[in-house]
Amino acid sequence: MKKRRSIADAAPAIAAAVIFFLTDMVLPPAIAGIVENTFVVSQVNMTHLCKETLVTVVNGQLPGPVINVTEGDSVVVHVVNKSPYNMTIHWHGVKQRLNCWADGVPMITQYPILPNQNFTYRFDVSGQEGTLWWHAHIPCLRATVHGAIVIRPRHGPSMYPFTKPHREIPIIIGEWWEVNLEELDMDLRYFVNDHFFSASTINGKLGDLYNCSGVVEDGYVLDVEPGRTYLLRVINAALYSEYYFKIAGHKFTVVAAGANYVEPYTTDVIAIAPGETIDALVVTNAPPGSYYMVALPSQPPKPDFQSPVLVARGTVKYADNHSPRNGTVALSSYRGQGGRGSPAGDVPVAPEMPDNHDASTSFYFHGNLRSLQHPLRLPAVPAQVDERIFITLGLGSVCRRGKSCKRGEGNEEEFMLVATMNNVSFELPAAMTPLLEAQYYHGSSVETLHELPDRPPRVYNFTDPALIPYGPKAAQLEMTSSKTMVARRFRYGTTVELVFQGTALMQAESNPMHLHGHDMYVLAQGFGNYEAERDVAKYNLVDPPMVNTVLVPRLGWVAVRFIADNPGVWFMHCHFEFHLSMGMAAVFIVEDGPTVDTSLPPPPVDFPTCGHADNPTPDECYLKTKKSESPRVNVF
Ligand SMILES: *[C@@H]1O[C@H](CO)[C@@H](O)[C@H](O)[C@H]1NC(C)=O
Ligand SMILES: *[C@@H]1O[C@H](CO)[C@@H](O)[C@H](O)[C@H]1NC(C)=O
Ligand SMILES: *[C@@H]1O[C@H](CO)[C@@H](O)[C@H](O)[C@H]1NC(C)=O
Ligand SMILES: *[C@@H]1O[C@H](CO)[C@@H](O)[C@H](O)[C@H]1NC(C)=O
Ligand SMILES: *[C@@H]1O[C@H](CO)[C@@H](O)[C@H](O)[C@H]1NC(C)=O
Ligand SMILES: *[C@@H]1O[C@H](CO)[C@@H](O)[C@H](O)[C@H]1NC(C)=O
Ligand SMILES: *[C@@H]1O[C@H](CO)[C@@H](O)[C@H](O)[C@H]1NC(C)=O
Ligand SMILES: [Cu+2]
């Protein structure tokens, strides 16, 4: 176990600073460092589509700054909140071993950072290499408050389990929103108005498929040299959509997913859902010229609601004065790939994209990932399962005024749409001590929790497409309920098997399910309804990929296992923002183990408890909160 160092006295600096020191680690005299960053969150005006929009960003940039570290480093990020919003930053996929305090989920792990307040995050990146990302965990603000986390091997790029790349480039797929994101969250939560983003983006650029008054939007340009290997670190930071990503005339070799290495897998298309990160090599072995890179949002077909298909386009541009290293490729060999345009001319070659309703390309892309034998790979999949939870994901209705309501003509506004797991929708209580603080100081006496059940209360044909529109079949199933803090408690070291079952209840969306603080082994997936007798046989117990975000296919299921060996309070939720705002979430509480090395240490000294650093003691604060709250049912 690595010893934690006090870095509280490291001087904050506006510019990123890297302070190196020698470690006492036994293995090769590698250098681990402290990487220090300051994130100033503020609002800036940005103009796209002829319209000035006020956006909340970090250090004036969209996407925000890259956190660039090597495995084993300690990261310090000083967040200075100059925005008018409450803020927290979540380090998506960072395991935060024994460090749940830095996980950045408001009211689950910490109080939000209020406007004009500061907060310092401190965490290590050990045992992980590849691409992760950071984002605001304030509803919808992550659309613009996000950036890449790049973790390189500690002993340098020659330690990559693949060709050392010539350059490494983050590719962040996102969305450009012209609506106020705080209002967007309210509208999603209370289902007031439908909103759409105005464009998709690649590294913050919309691309030449968008124009207004004849002025075309800039696209992201990747300048390349021929005959080189580039490592693209692809991140889906979008609120709304899965994406298909392609580069005309080039193939990808996928080498990592969720900062875990995978067996090299060659494909011409990357399918990526919100919260996922995919590392892929691209060899520039096409005839020198220009090639479009395209990010296409995908969505379920009708009868699901159809949103406009908004495509982001960038360009891979070969340097002019080079001839290809690998000889010339005959024109016909890439024309035949369905491209149009001319590689040597002004018009870049465009890739042929999958249909935007295509679910099987995403299914096969994800199904083809296998974990790579590598020293950082986690131990073998545990064969023994301690707890099994079968979780249905769907939508449902609650009565807006909390009373009973019956669907009939003219009373549609009495219903509120929510998203559920096992027919219960997650709600944060209005005022409370953050759950982690309450759990740390008061353990199992924590109130206001509602247990996530082991299985849905009713069995029905989960994936019957006849449920999708509001029809007579859905009417019998749609009523549901919201509970504060839907949660599960696990003893330290429990092996948990989760089967996520997508349902057709009022929609047929996929669901990218994200677990904080742990990686999950992805054992199997399928379309239709999960059947244990049949599907357990499909489990990959040999080399399943490990991810922090697992995509549950549309009208399908996925089975995962994880070991609850990181004490703390961890959010588990869908990474589609509309599902999260509507309550598709739960909290996993992992209890302390028997030793110091298996127990959550106390909060850092400067960690604000009960909202103020100068608060008396957490105890008094907790009691104060408890008294002022109305009693709630405690199911534990
Ligand atoms: C953004 O633009 C508006 C209107 O032009 C202006 O009133 C406002 O001060 C600007 N805000 C910032 C942060 O630049
Ligand atoms: C990240 O660090 C590596 C090694 O220190 C350096 O080569 C690279 O340019 C850095 N990248 C960024 C985006 O800062
Ligand atoms: C910001 O956080 C504070 C403290 O938890 C809370 O009282 C307030 O309502 C929050 N503000 C918003 C806009 O959510
Ligand atoms: C927050 O940090 C900034 C920059 O380091 C500093 O100027 C400011 O005084 C700090 N504010 C608070 C409330 O600590
Ligand atoms: C601008 O957009 C319109 C509508 O999307 C399109 O018809 C037109 O060709 C575009 N113009 C340019 C210059 O791209
Ligand atoms: C569920 O519905 C689908 C589509 O209507 C149908 O193909 C399937 O047989 C049904 N399954 C069961 C178990 O009834
Ligand atoms: C969900 O629970 C409600 C009661 O709260 C019930 O009426 C409904 O049938 C249940 N739906 C499903 C899909 O289990
Ligand atoms: Cu979802």
Side-chain angles (χ1 to χ4, degrees):
M1 189 73 231
K2 193 174 156 192
K3 245 193 290 165
R4 225 146 241 295
R5 283 161 191 284
S6 166
I7 39 183
D9 54 354
I14 287 287
V18 184
I19 302 154
F20 288 111
F21 62 90
L22 288 168
T23 58
D24 50 5
M25 298 288 292
V26 190
L27 267 168
I31 292 171
I34 301 178
V35 178
E36 196 167 342
N37 296 265
T38 296
F39 279 15
V40 179
V41 186
S42 71
Q43 293 192 301
V44 299
N45 281 317
M46 290 187 179
T47 302
H48 286 299
L49 306 171
C50 295
K51 191 161 169 250
E52 196 172 61
T53 307
L54 195 59
V55 291
T56 309
V57 294
V58 169
N59 297 355
Q61 297 165 240
L62 180 59
V66 178
I67 292 197
N68 189 18
V69 294
T70 59
E71 191 272 322
D73 280 352
S74 296
V75 182
V76 179
V77 183
H78 305 285
V79 177
V80 180
N81 187 8
K82 296 209 174 299
S83 84
Y85 305 117
N86 285 353
M87 187 53 51
T88 65
I89 307 282
H90 170 59
W91 317 94
H92 183 111
V94 173
K95 281 189 207 145
Q96 304 287 13
R97 168 113 185 113
L98 302 183
N99 194 36
C100 190
W101 304 106
D103 198 43
V105 187
M107 300 319 288
I108 307 281
T109 66
Q110 69 172 100
Y111 274 99
I113 313 165
L114 303 181
N116 292 314
Q117 280 194 359
N118 297 350
F119 181 85
T120 299
Y121 290 94
R122 295 186 178 89
F123 56 92
D124 293 346
V125 282
S126 17
Q128 297 180 281
E129 287 174 13
T131 307
L132 295 171
W133 61 301
W134 56 265
H135 61 79
H137 219 295
I138 301 297
C140 296
L141 285 181
R142 78 167 161 86
T144 53
V145 179
H146 63 242
I149 301 177
V150 172
I151 310 169
R152 295 195 173 76
R154 191 190 303 203
H155 301 283
S158 60
M159 297 307 286
Y160 281 130
F162 44 79
T163 314
K164 182 176 167 242
H166 171 60
R167 274 178 64 205
E168 305 180 15
I169 300 110
I171 299 283
I172 302 186
I173 299 170
E175 295 154 351
W176 178 249
W177 288 86
E178 289 175 324
V179 298
N180 177 296
L181 294 169
E182 197 184 35
E183 281 165 27
L184 172 66
D185 172 55
M186 285 305 176
D187 283 358
L188 289 174
R189 201 176 303 183
Y190 301 110
F191 208 66
V192 185
N193 295 303
D194 268 339
H195 290 291
F196 295 105
F197 51 102
S198 305
S200 295
T201 57
I202 296 175
N203 288 343
K205 309 264 200 200
L206 285 65
D208 61 354
L209 292 171
Y210 302 92
N211 71 69
C212 63
S213 315
V215 181
V216 170
E217 285 282 336
D218 281 346
Y220 173 70
V221 178
L222 174 58
D223 287 308
V224 299
E225 292 169 23
R228 301 277 201 183
T229 300
Y230 292 81
L231 175 58
L232 304 189
R233 299 173 174 279
V234 189
I235 297 166
N236 184 340
L239 303 184
Y240 252 63
S241 300
E242 280 187 59
Y243 277 82
Y244 285 124
F245 180 70
K246 282 185 86 165
I247 299 176
H250 293 78
K251 282 191 181 338
F252 302 107
T253 302
V254 176
V255 291
N260 288 296
Y261 292 119
V262 297
E263 286 284 346
Y265 159 55
T266 302
T267 171
D268 64 354
V269 61
I270 288 175
I272 188 165
E276 291 187 306
T277 53
I278 300 286
D279 293 4
L281 301 173
V282 173
V283 180
T284 48
N285 55 6
S290 290
Y291 299 86
Y292 279 128
M293 59 167 79
V294 172
L296 166 82
S298 91
Q299 62 182 330
K302 284 181 177 170
D304 267 74
F305 183 82
Q306 297 298 292
S307 50
V309 180
L310 299 164
V311 176
R313 192 153 82 169
T315 315
V316 174
K317 205 176 245 168
Y318 280 61
D320 279 341
N321 46 4
H322 282 83
S323 52
R325 288 190 178 183
N326 301 340
T328 327
V329 179
L331 264 183
S332 56
S333 71
Y334 55 88
R335 279 263 165 83
Q337 289 166 13
R340 58 187 167 80
S342 142
D346 296 337
V347 185
V349 183
E352 186 121 49
M353 298 305 289
D355 188 88
N356 84 307
H357 295 131
D358 176 352
S360 56
T361 298
S362 168
F363 186 86
Y364 289 112
F365 176 87
H366 289 94
N368 280 331
L369 302 178
R370 300 274 176 275
S371 73
L372 182 75
Q373 276 296 349
H374 184 270
L376 285 181
R377 197 175 118 177
L378 287 179
V381 188
Q384 186 78 36
V385 174
D386 303 311
E387 289 195 43
R388 290 193 157 81
I389 312 179
F390 180 83
I391 302 174
T392 52
L393 308 169
L395 299 189
S397 301
V398 295
C399 298
R400 206 178 274 277
R401 290 177 195 87
K403 294 177 282 185
S404 68
C405 54
K406 202 164 169 59
R407 202 180 276 290
E409 275 168 38
N411 65 345
E412 294 307 304
E413 69 286 350
E414 288 188 13
F415 293 88
M416 190 167 101
L417 203 59
V418 295
T420 61
M421 295 204 281
N422 283 348
N423 200 23
V424 53
S425 181
F426 179 93
E427 213 173 38
L428 272 177
M432 206 185 96
T433 312
L435 187 57
L436 178 61
E437 185 185 326
Q439 162 69 19
Y440 184 80
Y441 292 105
H442 305 280
S444 55
S445 69
V446 171
E447 290 179 73
T448 71
L449 298 178
H450 178 93
E451 188 168 38
L452 174 72
D454 277 347
R455 56 186 60 82
R458 285 174 75 150
V459 174
Y460 53 97
N461 189 345
F462 301 121
T463 51
D464 183 351
L467 292 167
I468 297 170
Y470 300 86
K473 273 195 172 175
Q476 294 176 11
L477 297 165
E478 69 168 88
M479 289 318 292
T480 186
S481 57
S482 290
K483 304 282 183 205
T484 45
M485 292 282 190
V486 180
R488 282 290 289 226
R489 227 173 240 293
F490 299 108
R491 282 221 173 75
Y492 181 89
T494 304
T495 296
V496 184
E497 181 172 304
L498 304 174
V499 174
F500 292 108
Q501 173 72 62
T503 71
L505 260 183
M506 302 163 136
Q507 52 125 51
E509 282 286 357
S510 60
N511 295 284
M513 302 305 294
H514 175 46
L515 174 60
H516 292 211
H518 302 79
D519 277 347
M520 303 173 274
Y521 301 87
V522 186
L523 305 182
Q525 58 169 357
F527 285 124
N529 300 337
Y530 175 81
E531 283 176 39
E533 306 75 45
R534 177 194 65 198
D535 293 325
V536 166
K538 296 178 191 156
Y539 282 10
N540 174 3
L541 299 173
V542 179
D543 57 359
M546 305 272 321
V547 297
N548 60 64
T549 305
V550 62
L551 183 64
V552 185
R554 273 175 218 157
L555 301 184
W557 56 270
V558 68
V560 302
R561 278 184 199 166
F562 73 96
I563 304 170
D565 59 0
N566 192 4
V569 168
W570 305 102
F571 214 21
M572 192 276 282
H573 62 92
C574 183
H575 224 278
F576 281 138
E577 203 72 358
F578 52 103
H579 281 173
L580 175 56
S581 287
M582 290 161 71
M584 194 181 281
V587 170
F588 284 175
I589 301 173
V590 179
E591 292 175 347
D592 281 342
T595 61
V596 170
D597 274 3
T598 56
S599 299
L600 181 68
V605 281
D606 55 351
F607 192 84
T609 48
C610 279
H612 311 282
D614 59 346
N615 213 68
T617 69
D619 264 327
E620 290 171 43
C621 186
Y622 175 73
L623 292 172
K624 220 163 54 197
T625 321
K626 228 167 103 176
K627 259 190 240 131
S628 61
E629 261 182 328
S630 52
R632 286 197 168 92
V633 187
N634 180 7
V635 282
F636 283 80

